[in-house]
Every structure is written in C-alpha cells, then in structure tokens.
Amino acid sequence: MPSYNSAAGLAQYTNRTLNRETQYTFDDEHDQFNKKYRTAMITGHRSIKNCLPEISKLVTMAVNLGVTNFLCGMALGVDQCAAELLIMRGLKWTAVIPCADQDKLWRPHQRSRYRKLLDKATDQVILYSEYSAGVMHARNLWMIKRSQICLAYLSSYAKPGGTRSTVQMALDRSLLVYRFDPEKREYSMVEPPWKQLTLNLSIND
C-alpha cells in the first residue's frame, strides 16, 4: 500500500484510483423523494488492520452525495481505520461509543490508539455506562437511525455476524449502502429493497 505524508496526498491518491463503478449520480427522477444525504455511518470487520485507501474511496463517494458528517462505532479494525482516515482528511465525525468501558479487555497499545482517536473526534456519544449483552447491536441501530448512507467494508465470504447484520438492518431501514468487498476488490452500490422493487416495476410497466 502506498504511504501518505498528508491528508492531501491521500485525497489525491483516492481521486486518481476512484473507478467508474463508484461514481454514481442521482437525478430527481431516480431519487423519487429527493432524499438529502447528510450523515453516513461506517461498518466493517474487526480483523482488518489497514484499509485507508478503501475507506477513503467510500468516504469520497459519500462526500460526493453531500454527506458532511460521519458516525463511527470505534471498534477495532475498520472502525478505527475509518476514524484515522476522517481525522487525516479533516472531516466532521462522531465517535459513537457503545459503552464507557468499550476498551476494557483490549491490549495496552490498542487502548492507547483508541484514546488518541477519541481525543480528535468532532463529537462523542456514549450510549451505556458499561458493557452488557446487546450494547453493540444498540450502537449499530443508533447510527442507522441517524444516517442516510451506510459505508460498509464487507467481505462476500464473511460469516454471519455484526457487519453483515448491520448492513442488512441499514437496507431494511432504507439506507443507501456503499460497499467495498475485499475478496473481489470491488465497490458497489446497494439500494434498499423497496427502491429496487420500484425500479423493477417501472421498467416492466
């Protein structure tokens, strides 16, 4: 992966490599309800160590639709990589922390990085005082309810789990999903089921 000395360098790299499949435009006829895209949430696998170029492309796709605020769940992996990217690019973002002791079981170096990222967040939201079953799901649902776009780093071979279920919840709640599949090295746009049905009906009529 290329190294980046500045946010500008990363942005230039993203613009050079952004392929046609990721450059979508929406006109009034396509976007029937003239939806305003202002907030995007981010979700992805915890096992991913470095995904700055891929996350940067997803973020650029959202910015091109008018997104000005990003929600990040601060889990290990993609979430924290995204937080780092948002800081580098000087974008507005909110750290959505499922519980105050989110980092309780992490290693010292993981805690240190986590704290440094939180210090640079535009805003922070802590949903629960301590961990209990369901707080991660609640965190994901909180972000979905406040977003119009879901940016997903989701492998086509991933087992059922947090990221896949979050993307499905986002679609069920009519969010537009921009997805990067690391296995296929592909970007795609997934529209909510109701919009897909509407488009299919309009083609058949």
Side-chain angles (χ1 to χ4, degrees), residues 10-180:
L10 179 57
Q12 290 175 2
Y13 172 81
T14 298
N15 290 335
R16 286 198 308 268
T17 59
L18 199 63
N19 58 38
R20 290 185 178 180
E21 287 78 7
T22 66
Q23 297 182 11
Y24 299 100
T25 57
F26 296 86
D27 54 29
D28 292 339
E29 181 179 357
H30 181 88
D31 191 355
Q32 299 176 36
F33 299 97
N34 195 26
K35 192 169 187 177
K36 300 296 184 183
Y37 298 94
R38 294 291 179 263
T39 303
M41 59 162 292
I42 300 169
T43 186
H45 304 302
R46 296 184 182 182
S47 59
I48 304 300
K49 302 299 182 183
N50 199 326
C51 53
L52 282 177
E54 293 81 13
I55 294 297
S56 188
K57 289 184 183 181
L58 292 175
V59 166
T60 296
M61 292 156 67
V63 169
N64 287 343
L65 283 185
V67 169
T68 56
N69 185 48
F70 296 84
L71 304 180
C72 184
M74 298 308 294
L76 297 171
V78 169
D79 282 6
Q80 293 190 17
C81 187
E84 183 179 352
L85 179 280
L86 294 169
I87 293 168
M88 289 177 64
R89 293 185 57 171
L91 296 170
K92 181 181 177 182
W93 67 285
T94 299
V96 184
I97 304 166
C99 50
D101 58 351
Q102 182 178 18
D103 63 343
K104 182 178 180 179
L105 300 179
W106 295 355
R107 297 176 180 176
H109 74 276
Q110 294 172 327
R111 289 185 182 181
S112 176
R113 184 191 184 205
Y114 174 72
R115 300 293 176 176
K116 289 178 181 178
L117 293 173
L118 287 182
D119 285 344
K120 296 182 179 180
T122 308
D123 197 7
Q124 295 183 27
V125 174
I126 302 176
L127 300 184
Y128 298 94
S129 60
E130 61 183 19
Y131 175 82
S132 62
V135 298
M136 304 304 176
H137 176 83
R139 182 267 318 276
N140 296 337
L141 189 56
W142 190 97
M143 294 193 296
I144 288 171
K145 288 181 176 180
R146 290 158 178 80
S147 302
Q148 297 83 46
I149 298 179
C150 173
L151 305 180
Y153 190 108
L154 175 61
S155 170
S156 54
Y157 302 122
K159 297 179 180 179
T163 301
R164 190 173 294 280
S165 63
T166 299
V167 170
Q168 187 56 58
M169 283 196 301
L171 289 171
D172 291 343
R173 289 181 174 268
S174 301
L175 270 67
L176 177 69
V177 174
Y178 276 148
R179 171 185 174 182
F180 174 72

